[in-house]
C-alpha cells in the first residue's frame, strides 16, 4: 500500500516557515517605520505602496503586522518557556517523590487547573499591570498547572520502570534519575503539549492585547491592532482582516505541524 | 451518596482554596488601595485613617475570614472606583455571561454532532476532507477575531443584526437571545471544530471493533449499528471534552463580550482590571470560580453515567 503523503506536516512546515521568515525579516526591516503616521494615507486601501493598506493614523499596516507578529511570537515563546520549565520542576518532584508535597501541590494545581488559563492570566495581569513582560509572566504562570500535570503523570508512570530501578541500584542520585534518566523519556509527550501550549499562548496574547490589558503601545501587537480596527470595520476592512489572518496562519501552521509530527 | 458527599466536600475545599489564593494575591501586591482612592496629595494621617476604615491593617487570614463571611451574606465589598456595593454591580451581569456561555455550548453540540457523524460515515471521501480542512482552519481562528468577522459579514454587509445593539434581558428576553446568537457562534465554532474532529476519530475507531461486526451479522443496517451501538461508546471522550469546554466558554464569553459590546461580566472585569478596582475583580473571579466548579460538579456524574467503566468512587 502506498503511504499517503503527510499533508499536515508539509503544509504545517510551509506555513510555519513563512511565519518565521516574516517575523525574522520584521525584526530587522519593515517597509515603513511602524510608528510613523502619515495623515494623507489615513485608512488607505491596499496599494503597491502599502500592500495591506494603512490604519486610522496612516501607519503602514504591513510594517505593523510584521512587528506585531514578532511581539506575539516572543510572548508565546516566553510563556511556553516559563510554563514548561516550572511545569517540569513541579511535575518531576511531585511525580517522583509523591507523598505530602505531592498531595498539597496537586490540590492547588487541580484547583487552578479547573480555572480557564486565560482567566488565571487576567488575575495576574491585574496584579502586575499590563505590558509585554508582564503578559509573559502572567501567561507563563497560568500555563504551569497544565504542564505540571502532564509531567507529573509521566513521572508517576516512569518511576516504577525497570530502567529506573537499575539506575537506582547503580547508585544514581534522585536528581540524576529524574533529569538524566526519566526526563528524556517524557520528551515525546512534552513536545506535543509544548506545541499546543504555544498555540494557546499565541491566542491568549492576542486576546489579552485585544482587551487592552496585554501588550501596550508603543509595542505593536496583533490583538491591539484588531481592537483599534474594529471601529473602522466598514471603512477599512483590511485593517482588521490582515492582522487577523496572520494570527490564523501562525496558529494553523503550528497546529498542522504538531499533527504532522504525530503521524510521522 | 458517599460519592455526592465527597464531591461536595471537594467542591467547597477547592472553592475556599481558589478564593483564598485570589484574596491573598490581591493582598500582597504592591500598591495601596487607600492611596489610589485618595490620590497622591493625601496626607499620611488621612491615608492611615482610610486604611483603618477599609480594614487594611489587620492580618491576612482575619481579613480573608471576614471577607468570606460577608461574601456569603451577599456583601462583596465596595468598589474603589465607583464607591458602590460590588454585589449590585455584578449580580445582574452573571445571567448575561452565563446565557452566552450556555448558548455557545448548545451551538457547539448542535454543530459538532451531526457534522462529526457525517464526516465519519464518509471517511476519506471529499465531504469528510472538506469538513476536516474547514475544521483545521476554524480551530486556528481566535474567537474574538471570529466575532469581528461575523460582525463584518452579518452585521455590516448583510445587516442581519445591529452591531452594538445589545438588548437587555430584563426588557426583551427573545431579543436578548437573538443578539447573543452571533457572539455565541463566535465562541462555539472553534470548539465545535475540535469536538467534531474528536467525534469523527472516535466513531471511526469504534467502527473497527468486533462488536460492530457482531451487530452487523445480526442483521442491523449501518444506521442502526451507528446510532445504537457505536455512538454510545464513541461519545464518551466527546462528552468529557465538552465538559471541559463549558468552562472555556465562560472565559470565551469574557472576551467576545467586548467584540459585541455586551455588558456582561467581561466588560466590568476589564474596566476594573484597568482601573485596579480590586474588590470588583476579586468578586468576579470568585463568581467565575463558583460557576466553573458548579459546572464541573454537574458534568462529572454525567460522564460517569455514560461510561459505566468509570465507577462512582
Amino acid at each position: 500500500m502506498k503511504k499517503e503523503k503527510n499533508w499536515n506536516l508539509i503544509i504545517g512546515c510551509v506555513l510555519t516557515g513563512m511565519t518565521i521568515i516574516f517575523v525574522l525579516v520584521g525584526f530587522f526591516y519593515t517597509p515603513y517605520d511602524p510608528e510613523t503616521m502619515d495623515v494623507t494615507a489615513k485608512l488607505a486601501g491596499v496599494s503597491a505602496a502599502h500592500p495591506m493598506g494603512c490604519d486610522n493614523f496612516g501607519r503602514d499596516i504591513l510594517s505593523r503586522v510584521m512587528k506585531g507578529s514578532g511581539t506575539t511570537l516572543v510572548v508565546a515563546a516566553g510563556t511556553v518557556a516559563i510554563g514548561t520549565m516550572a511545569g517540569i520542576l513541579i511535575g518531576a518532584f511531585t511525580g517522583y517523590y509523591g507523598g505530602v508535597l505531592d498531595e498539597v501541590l496537586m490540590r492547588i494545581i487541580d484547583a487552578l487547573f479547573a480555572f480557564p488559563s486565560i482567566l488565571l492570566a487576567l488575575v495576574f495581569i491585574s496584579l502586575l499591570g499590563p505590558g509585554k513582560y508582564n503578559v509573559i509572566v502572567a501567561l507563563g504562570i497560568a500555563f504551569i498547572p497544565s504542564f505540571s500535570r502532564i509531567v507529573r503523570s509521566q513521572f508517576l508512570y516512569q518511576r516504577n520502570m525497570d530502567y529506573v530501578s537499575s539506575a537506582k541500584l547503580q547508585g544514581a542520585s534522585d536528581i540524576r534519575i529524574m533529569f538524566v534518566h526519566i526526563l528524556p523519556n517524557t520528551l515525546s509527550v512534552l513536545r506535543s503539549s509544548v506545541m499546543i501550549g504555544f498555540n494557546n499562548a499565541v491566542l491568549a496574547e492576542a486576546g489579552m492585547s485585544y482587551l487592552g490589558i496585554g501588550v501596550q503601545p508603543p509595542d505593536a501587537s496583533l490583538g491591539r491592532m484588531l481592537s483599534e480596527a474594529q471601529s473602522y470595520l466598514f471603512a477599512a476592512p483590511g485593517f482588521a482582516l490582515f492582522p487577523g489572518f496572520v494570527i490564523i496562519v501562525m496558529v494553523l501552521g503550528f497546529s498542522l505541524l504538531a499533527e504532522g509530527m504525530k503521524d510521522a | 451518596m458517599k460519592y455526592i458527599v465527597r464531591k461536595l466536600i471537594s467542591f467547597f475545599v477547592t472553592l475556599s482554596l481558589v478564593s483564598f489564593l485570589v484574596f491573598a494575591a490581591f493582598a500582597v501586591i504592591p500598591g495601596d488601595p487607600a492611596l489610589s482612592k485618595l490620590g497622591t496629595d493625601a496626607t499620611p494621617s488621612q491615608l492611615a485613617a482610610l486604611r483603618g476604615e477599609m480594614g487594611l491593617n489587620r492580618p491576612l487570614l482575619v481579613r480573608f475570614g471576614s471577607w468570606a463571611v460577608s461574601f456569603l451574606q451577599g456583601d462583596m465589598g465596595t468598589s474603589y472606583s465607583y464607591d458602590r456595593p460590588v454585589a449590585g454591580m455584578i449580580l445582574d451581569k452573571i445571567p448575561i455571561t452565563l446565557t452566552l456561555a450556555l448558548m455557545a455550548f448548545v451551538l457547539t453540540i448542535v454543530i459538532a454532532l451531526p457534522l462529526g457523524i457525517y464526516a465519519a460515515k464518509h471517511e476519506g471521501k471529499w465531504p469528510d476532507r472538506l469538513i476536516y480542512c474547514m475544521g483545521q482552519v476554524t480551530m486556528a481562528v481566535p474567537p474574538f477575531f471570529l466575532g469581528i468577522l461575523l460582525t463584518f459579514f452579518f452585521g455590516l454587509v448583510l445587516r442581519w443584526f445591529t452591531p452594538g445593539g445589545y438588548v437587555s434581558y430584563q426588557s426583551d428576553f427573545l431579543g436578548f437571545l437573538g443578539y447573543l446568537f452571533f457572539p455565541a457562534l463566535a465562541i462555539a465554532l472553534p470548539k465545535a471544530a475540535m469536538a467534531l474532529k474528536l467525534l469523527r476519530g472516535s466513531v471511526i475507531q469504534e467502527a473497527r471493533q468486533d462488536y460492530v461486526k457482531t451487530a452487523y451479522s445480526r442483521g442491523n443496517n449501518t444506521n442502526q449499528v451507528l446510532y445504537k451501538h457505536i455512538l454510545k461508546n464513541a461519545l464518551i471522550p466527546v462528552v468529557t471534552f465538552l465538559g471541559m469546554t463549558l468552562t472555556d466558554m465562560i472565559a470565551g464569553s469574557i472576551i467576545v463580550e467586548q467584540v459585541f459590546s455586551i455588558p456582561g461580566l467581561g466588560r466590568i472585569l476589564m474596566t476594573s482590571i484597568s482601573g485596579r478596582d480590586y474588590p470588583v475583580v476579586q468578586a468576579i473571579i470568585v463568581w467565575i470560580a463558583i460557576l466553573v466548579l458548579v459546572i464541573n460538579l454537574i458534568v462529572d456524574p454525567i460522564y460517569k453515567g455514560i461510561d459505566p467503566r468509570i465507577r462512582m468512587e
Side-chain angles (χ1 to χ4, degrees):
Chain A
M1 205 166 79
K2 207 181 95 184
K3 197 167 180 278
E4 215 177 313
K5 261 192 181 161
N6 192 339
W7 283 111
N8 284 337
L9 192 66
I10 298 170
I11 302 177
C13 277
V14 171
L15 291 181
T16 309
M18 273 163 43
T19 316
I20 290 177
I21 293 172
F22 186 70
V23 168
L24 282 183
V25 171
F27 279 136
F28 302 105
Y29 164 81
T30 49
Y32 294 84
D33 178 75
E35 298 307 320
T36 306
M37 305 179 190
D38 175 5
V39 274
T40 57
K42 267 187 191 174
L43 298 177
V46 172
S47 66
H50 299 285
M52 292 187 182
C54 289
D55 70 1
N56 51 326
F57 295 111
R59 295 176 294 195
D60 180 53
I61 291 178
L62 175 63
S63 311
R64 293 187 64 73
V65 167
M66 289 172 92
K67 276 278 181 242
S69 6
T71 316
T72 302
L73 277 191
V74 169
V75 170
T79 301
V80 171
I82 294 180
T84 322
M85 277 192 251
I88 286 177
L89 280 180
I90 296 177
F93 278 95
T94 53
Y96 187 77
Y97 288 114
V100 186
L101 174 83
D102 179 42
E103 257 322 296
V104 174
L105 272 179
M106 276 303 131
R107 271 280 118 200
I108 299 177
I109 297 266
D110 278 343
L112 293 177
F113 186 73
F115 227 59
S117 53
I118 182 131
L119 281 176
L120 219 51
L122 288 184
V123 174
F124 288 112
I125 268 300
S126 64
L127 299 173
L128 301 166
K132 182 159 78 177
Y133 297 106
N134 290 348
V135 172
I136 297 180
V137 174
L139 279 175
I141 298 176
F143 277 39
I144 294 176
S146 61
F147 280 115
S148 323
R149 276 170 63 123
I150 294 164
V151 176
R152 174 178 176 270
S153 68
Q154 282 296 313
F155 269 75
L156 258 180
Y157 166 72
Q158 304 264 355
R159 74 170 176 196
N160 298 321
M161 307 267 274
D162 288 343
Y163 75 87
V164 175
S165 325
S166 84
K168 265 188 199 155
L169 284 177
Q170 288 173 15
S173 68
D174 284 348
I175 300 286
R176 191 178 161 82
I177 291 177
M178 276 191 264
F179 297 105
V180 180
H181 294 274
I182 300 184
L183 189 61
N185 287 308
T186 64
L187 286 185
S188 61
V189 179
L190 257 184
R191 187 184 65 193
S192 65
S193 36
V194 163
M195 293 180 90
I196 296 168
F198 186 86
N199 267 348
N200 288 337
V202 169
L203 293 174
E205 186 277 325
M208 286 167 81
S209 303
Y210 171 79
L211 293 174
I213 51 171
V215 174
Q216 299 294 312
D219 279 327
S221 119
L222 298 175
R224 202 174 184 86
M225 289 180 77
L226 281 167
S227 91
E228 286 162 7
Q230 222 189 327
S231 330
Y232 306 95
L233 213 47
F234 203 65
F239 184 8
L241 294 182
F242 289 116
F245 284 137
V246 172
I247 300 180
I248 297 177
V249 169
M250 210 184 258
V251 175
L252 181 64
F254 228 72
S255 63
L256 288 178
L257 195 62
E259 207 144 300
M261 283 166 76
K262 210 166 56 187
D263 298 337
Chain B
M1 195 55 214
K2 224 171 133 189
Y3 170 78
I4 299 175
V5 173
R6 269 188 46 170
K7 276 280 150 191
L8 280 177
I9 292 176
S10 116
F11 171 82
F12 284 110
V13 169
T14 315
L15 185 60
S16 329
L17 196 65
V18 170
S19 24
F20 179 70
L21 288 179
V22 173
F23 189 86
F26 282 100
V28 296
I29 33 158
D32 180 349
L35 185 70
S36 61
K37 195 171 177 183
L38 289 179
T40 38
D41 19 273
T43 63
S45 61
Q46 276 175 321
L47 281 175
L50 185 64
R51 267 186 218 127
E53 196 188 307
M54 293 166 95
L56 290 173
N57 37 21
R58 291 175 300 159
L60 183 65
L61 265 175
V62 177
R63 276 159 61 194
F64 175 67
S66 73
W67 175 82
V69 169
S70 33
F71 191 93
L72 289 175
Q73 291 165 345
D75 172 13
M76 292 157 211
T78 310
S79 154
Y80 291 159
S81 338
Y82 298 100
D83 223 1
R84 283 175 49 199
V86 176
M89 289 167 67
I90 64 173
L91 282 184
D92 60 333
K93 310 279 191 294
I94 294 174
I96 303 177
T97 302
L98 200 57
T99 314
L100 182 55
L102 288 178
M103 217 166 145
F105 184 66
V106 172
L107 278 175
T108 307
I109 296 175
V110 170
I111 298 167
L113 281 191
L115 281 178
I117 294 171
Y118 184 81
K121 259 175 138 179
H122 299 83
E123 188 197 347
K125 302 207 185 77
W126 70 265
D128 176 36
R129 303 213 163 191
L130 183 72
I131 292 175
Y132 176 80
C133 290
M134 281 169 51
Q136 283 291 349
V137 176
T138 315
M139 270 187 260
V141 187
F144 68 92
F145 183 58
L146 208 52
I148 294 177
L149 291 178
L150 291 173
T151 308
F152 177 67
F153 194 68
F154 292 102
L156 297 176
V157 178
L158 296 178
R159 297 189 175 276
W160 286 8
F161 75 101
T162 325
Y166 169 77
V167 186
S168 138
Y169 67 94
Q170 287 107 332
S171 63
D172 172 8
F173 192 69
L174 277 182
F176 165 71
L177 290 184
Y179 187 76
L180 289 193
F181 176 77
F182 285 105
L185 192 63
I187 305 169
L189 278 175
K191 294 289 172 198
M194 291 175 204
L196 99 76
K197 190 175 159 193
L198 192 64
L199 177 62
R200 176 192 173 274
S202 161
V203 168
I204 290 174
Q205 200 195 340
E206 287 296 326
R208 306 217 165 103
Q209 306 283 330
D210 285 339
Y211 72 85
V212 175
K213 283 180 201 144
T214 316
Y216 269 117
S217 67
R218 284 194 187 152
N220 291 304
N221 63 30
T222 306
N223 276 338
Q224 282 169 328
V225 175
L226 181 63
Y227 292 104
K228 284 198 188 141
H229 298 271
I230 296 182
L231 264 189
K232 236 193 240 166
N233 294 318
L235 275 180
I236 293 168
V238 182
V239 172
T240 313
F241 171 78
L242 287 174
M244 282 168 14
T245 51
L246 194 49
T247 55
D248 284 344
M249 301 271 165
I250 292 183
S253 315
I254 303 277
I255 301 180
V256 169
E257 275 171 17
Q258 306 292 310
V259 184
F260 291 88
S261 326
I262 298 167
L265 279 184
R267 172 82 72 82
I268 191 155
L269 180 61
M270 286 317 126
T271 33
S272 21
I273 288 179
S274 326
R276 303 210 151 202
D277 197 343
Y278 296 137
V280 183
V281 179
Q282 213 169 301
I284 294 178
I285 297 292
V286 172
W287 265 107
I288 293 175
I290 294 175
L291 292 182
V292 166
L293 291 172
V294 168
I295 287 170
N296 286 338
L297 202 62
I298 299 171
V299 169
D300 231 37
I302 293 181
Y303 41 78
K304 292 203 167 71
I306 290 182
D307 188 355
R309 283 171 297 186
I310 307 172
R311 271 181 295 142
M312 299 232 191
E313 277 176 353

